[in-house]
Every structure is written in structure tokens, then in C-alpha cells.
Amino acid sequence: ETQDQGSATGYEAQNLISNPSNHSLNGQKFRDWRMPTKHELNEIYLQQVVVGGFANLSYWSSTENDPFDAWKQSFSAGTQFPNDEDSYAYVRSVRAF
């Protein structure tokens, strides 16, 4: 996707992705959006200039660390870290192509 779906807790992130109004006009044509894995999110971080539109903050991945934590990627520092899924971060969806 070329735009963020918003900011949410890790538990609410999928709801943002499932709502077509949170996607770009082109993105609204598709229904197979999902959260990126932590490895995919790092690849997106490495290509953030090409993809564009990222906040200089953290983004959720779909990779769980334990029952209460999932991995985030900092788009300012480039680091990945587990964080409580009750905390907020940005959401950017991906799909297979």
C-alpha cells in the first residue's frame, strides 16, 4: 500500500487494514491486504524512499514475540523491537503480487 492505514494498538491493527476507506483509491480495489512480517517490514524500511509516505515513527508487524508482544520497526532508527500490543504504532499493509 502507498499510504498508512492509521495508528492503532497491535490488537486493532487488522481492523484498520480490513476497512477499505483506510486505503488509497487504488488500494480499495483489493481485499487481500495483511500485516507485513517483521522481515517484510524491514525490507519496506530499506525501501521507504521508493515506497514513500512513511511517518518517522514505529510500525507494527504481524510477527508475535509472545502472547502479549509483537515486533515493531522504527522508521527513524531502523531498529526492530518487541512491544506490548496495547501500545500504539502506525499500520501499513502489504499484499502478495
Side-chain angles (χ1 to χ4, degrees):
E1 177 58 278
T2 58
Q3 72 178 40
D4 293 340
Q5 279 61 70
S7 177
T9 69
Y11 300 115
E12 299 166 335
Q14 189 60 47
N15 287 336
L16 288 179
I17 292 172
S18 299
N19 185 341
S21 68
N22 291 331
H23 290 272
S24 63
L25 287 176
N26 191 46
Q28 291 177 17
K29 299 175 187 175
F30 305 99
R31 297 289 184 259
D32 57 344
W33 296 107
R34 61 176 176 80
M35 296 279 292
T37 66
K38 76 180 220 174
H39 300 293
E40 291 170 328
L41 193 56
N42 190 60
E43 288 296 320
I44 293 168
Y45 168 77
L46 295 173
Q47 297 297 320
Q48 68 179 302
V49 173
V50 175
V51 177
F54 290 95
N56 205 19
L57 298 166
S58 297
Y59 284 78
W60 283 115
S61 81
S62 64
T63 307
E64 301 255 332
N65 186 57
D66 61 38
F68 307 103
D69 297 336
W71 286 87
K72 287 182 181 177
Q73 172 99 32
S74 167
F75 271 62
S76 60
T79 56
Q80 291 188 330
F81 54 95
N83 199 232
D84 188 326
E85 289 189 77
D86 282 330
S87 66
Y88 279 79
Y90 279 87
V91 178
R92 177 72 67 100
S93 59
V94 297
R95 57 185 294 272
F97 57 92

